[in-house]
Amino acid sequence: MNKKKGFPKLFKKLGIYAFWLLVWQLLAVFFHNDILLVGPSKTLRTFFSCLITAGFWRSIWFSISRICIGFFLAMLLGILTGALSCRFRIVREFLEPPIQFMKSIPVASFVILALIWTGSKNLSILISFWLPIDSAHQHGQRLKKHRLETFGNGAGFSRSFP
């Protein structure tokens, strides 16, 4: 009885995936610009041609190793700072301002800050895409107001630790 219900559900999911793949392919044909939107057929062809190259697998291994090292170091740093701030009040007070700053900035702004710190050449394109020039000032004002509200209500370590 469960198998009969499973097949229609499977076909429904496959139909939904096929629909969105078709929409993707039609949009790629409509735009006809591989820089703007590459279709699923060309993506799969390129992917399968890359599978047989050693450079592809070296890139995959290099990326996975860097991601794992980053997660491991972040975990160690989080455990260390959490343990130190739980044990020593001065560490907690010292770490509260950067934590408040990080909590007050949207995640997309961290990407822009990272690009600023690394000196990316494409920063102006990214900023103009995410934050049009006329709204940049408004965004800054909202951020200042939010930061003041966040600091004013004592959010952060003071709420987490008694």
Side-chain angles (χ1 to χ4, degrees):
M1 190 169 187
N2 288 339
K3 288 184 181 181
K4 290 181 182 179
K5 288 184 179 180
F7 279 126
K9 200 175 196 179
L10 176 67
F11 286 128
K12 181 181 176 184
K13 283 187 178 185
L14 288 175
I16 291 170
Y17 292 138
F19 170 77
W20 286 111
L21 283 172
L22 180 66
V23 168
W24 179 16
Q25 182 64 38
L26 290 174
L27 284 172
V29 169
F30 175 74
F31 285 114
H32 194 62
N33 185 347
D34 287 347
I35 294 174
L36 185 61
L37 182 65
V38 178
S41 61
K42 193 165 193 172
T43 302
L44 283 174
R45 271 185 280 155
T46 305
F47 174 69
F48 286 122
S49 69
C50 287
L51 279 177
I52 58 174
T53 63
F56 174 77
W57 292 106
R58 275 194 301 271
S59 295
I60 295 288
W61 176 250
F62 182 68
S63 295
I64 288 174
S65 63
R66 287 181 65 184
I67 290 168
C68 289
I69 288 170
F71 274 115
F72 181 72
L73 290 175
M75 179 188 69
L76 286 179
L77 185 64
I79 291 171
L80 178 67
T81 56
L84 288 174
S85 64
C86 189
R87 177 76 173 111
F88 302 107
R89 181 179 177 89
I90 187 71
V91 175
R92 183 177 346 157
E93 291 171 357
F94 182 75
L95 290 176
E96 190 163 356
I99 296 292
Q100 291 299 324
F101 178 72
M102 286 186 272
K103 289 171 96 177
S104 68
I105 297 177
V107 175
S109 298
F110 276 117
V111 173
I112 295 172
L113 286 174
L115 291 173
I116 290 171
W117 290 328
T118 59
S120 176
K121 294 177 182 170
N122 297 324
L123 181 62
S124 60
I125 296 169
L126 183 67
I127 289 175
S128 64
F129 176 74
W130 262 341
L131 209 58
I133 301 300
D134 58 337
S135 70
H137 178 71
Q138 294 171 353
H139 177 71
Q141 294 301 322
R142 279 195 314 257
L143 183 60
K144 286 179 190 173
K145 180 182 175 193
H146 177 69
R147 206 174 297 140
L148 288 173
E149 289 171 356
T150 305
F151 277 111
N153 67 11
F157 281 125
S158 59
R159 287 204 192 274
S160 303
F161 298 102

